[in-house]
Amino acid sequence: MTRFSYAHHLEDFKSTASWLARRGWSEAAGGNLSLRLEMPGPLHEDDHIPLPFPMPHLAGKAILLTGSGTRAREIGVNPQPHVGLFKISDDGTSYGWIAGNRKPSMELPPHCAIHNTLAEHRPEDKAILHTHPASLIALCHVQGLDNGKVVSDKILSLQSEARLILPEGIGFVEHELPGSLELGIKSAAQAKKHQLVLWQFHGCLATGETLAHAFDLLEVFEKSARVYWELRTAGIDPAGISKTTIENTLTYFGRLDRYKSTQE
Ligand code: 2HA
Ligand code: ZN
């Protein structure tokens, strides 16, 4: 096989996992991280595990993914034993273990389905991060906050820059079994347009060029959610910044088209 090193990518896992732990977003073994890589060379003949459906845009690529039961607070200290390298076959129908942790996260089907969509629609976004921030899970228990448009309009209007950084707003997937293919397929559909997808009652999924970038976007959403909860704790149900002001800000920074693309 062609000589291949992924050691430098582990720094992104280490730094991001350490922040997930410090924020208290990935309790116990909650959450998982992955990166999509270019990786030349074939899979071993005897090591083909079928993917849940053909993923032609992952053909020949590789995925670095955190292992089942691994803890952010430990990945953040030493990622090597906790992250596995998996290669997708040249026809995009199966995968095999290559190096590192052998037992992938239960969220492997969602990660692969979303990477397949990203590789087709937003190839620059190679990172996927899933975690469980309490302030975001709590939003899902508020009556009416059960679709992406309402969540985006309500929460991203609470601070000046949130909609500017996330013009397409937040995607939303109604509660599905953790690790299920349904969760993966629905998340992949949302990830076509949205960099963040809220998993109802479960947590959030973030995408980005790197794990650090995905974490940035999550921080912005989570900050806005905390503003919401501070106001609610003070007895205020905020109206938020007006739609006109938000649209003016987006126009000024040349991002109105991205916002409008998800408004129909
Ligand atoms: O325990 O977060 O969604 C890992 C998870 C599954
Ligand atoms: Zn989870």
Side-chain angles (χ1 to χ4, degrees):
M1 180 171 297
T2 317
R3 206 181 297 163
F4 180 81
S5 168
Y6 61 94
H8 57 293
H9 293 296
L10 292 180
E11 283 304 308
D12 200 14
F13 280 80
K14 180 178 174 180
S15 158
T16 304
S18 127
W19 276 104
L20 288 171
R22 268 185 268 180
R23 291 268 196 257
W25 292 352
S26 284
E27 76 290 348
N32 25 75
L33 309 167
S34 70
L35 278 180
R36 187 176 73 257
L37 312 177
E38 300 298 326
M39 185 185 178
L43 256 184
H44 297 298
E45 276 301 312
D46 55 352
D47 192 20
H48 282 236
I49 305 162
L51 283 166
F53 60 89
M55 304 200 181
H57 305 287
L58 294 188
K61 296 190 193 307
I63 308 276
L64 270 175
L65 175 65
T66 47
S68 173
T70 57
R71 302 177 176 96
R73 62 181 185 270
E74 292 172 354
I75 303 165
V77 174
N78 177 21
Q80 209 281 330
H82 305 299
V83 177
L85 178 67
F86 298 88
K87 171 124 171 82
I88 315 294
S89 61
D90 284 340
D91 65 359
T93 65
S94 58
Y95 69 97
W97 172 84
I98 300 287
N101 188 296
R102 277 180 181 267
K103 192 163 178 266
S105 158
M106 66 189 286
E107 301 290 3
L108 176 104
H111 279 259
C112 285
I114 297 160
H115 275 301
N116 187 52
T117 292
L118 292 179
E120 182 181 9
H121 295 278
R122 298 196 272 120
E124 67 284 3
D125 282 344
K126 300 190 188 305
I128 298 178
L129 183 171
H130 161 61
T131 186
H132 304 161
S135 57
L136 301 186
I137 297 168
L139 292 178
C140 305
H141 293 274
V142 177
Q143 211 177 359
L145 292 189
D146 56 2
N147 72 76
K149 176 157 172 48
V150 176
V151 170
S152 304
D153 290 347
K154 181 98 188 162
I155 306 302
L156 300 182
S157 66
L158 298 180
Q159 61 138 317
S160 169
E161 294 182 354
R163 198 67 198 235
L164 197 52
I165 293 166
L166 295 161
E168 295 85 0
I170 311 297
F172 187 87
V173 174
E174 280 179 20
H175 187 257
E176 290 288 351
L177 270 185
S180 63
L181 186 55
E182 288 73 18
L183 180 60
I185 291 169
K186 290 181 180 174
S187 301
Q190 292 289 305
K192 269 186 205 169
K193 285 197 172 166
H194 302 282
Q195 290 164 300
L196 297 182
V197 181
L198 186 59
W199 286 357
Q200 191 180 34
F201 308 134
H202 181 156
C204 198
L205 184 119
T207 59
E209 293 179 18
T210 60
L211 292 168
H213 182 230
F215 185 87
D216 287 342
L217 301 177
L218 201 53
E219 272 189 316
V220 171
F221 181 29
E222 204 269 345
K223 168 65 70 68
S224 299
R226 274 192 291 132
V227 172
Y228 176 75
W229 289 117
E230 292 208 11
L231 289 163
R232 289 298 300 257
T233 307
I236 299 164
D237 188 358
I241 302 167
S242 76
K243 191 169 154 67
T244 310
T245 302
I246 293 214
E247 291 192 357
N248 287 344
T249 308
L250 287 157
T251 304
Y252 182 82
F253 286 95
R255 297 191 174 182
L256 192 66
D257 286 352
R258 283 177 60 186
Y259 167 80
K260 293 270 185 203
S261 72
T262 54
Q263 292 300 297
E264 65 281 347

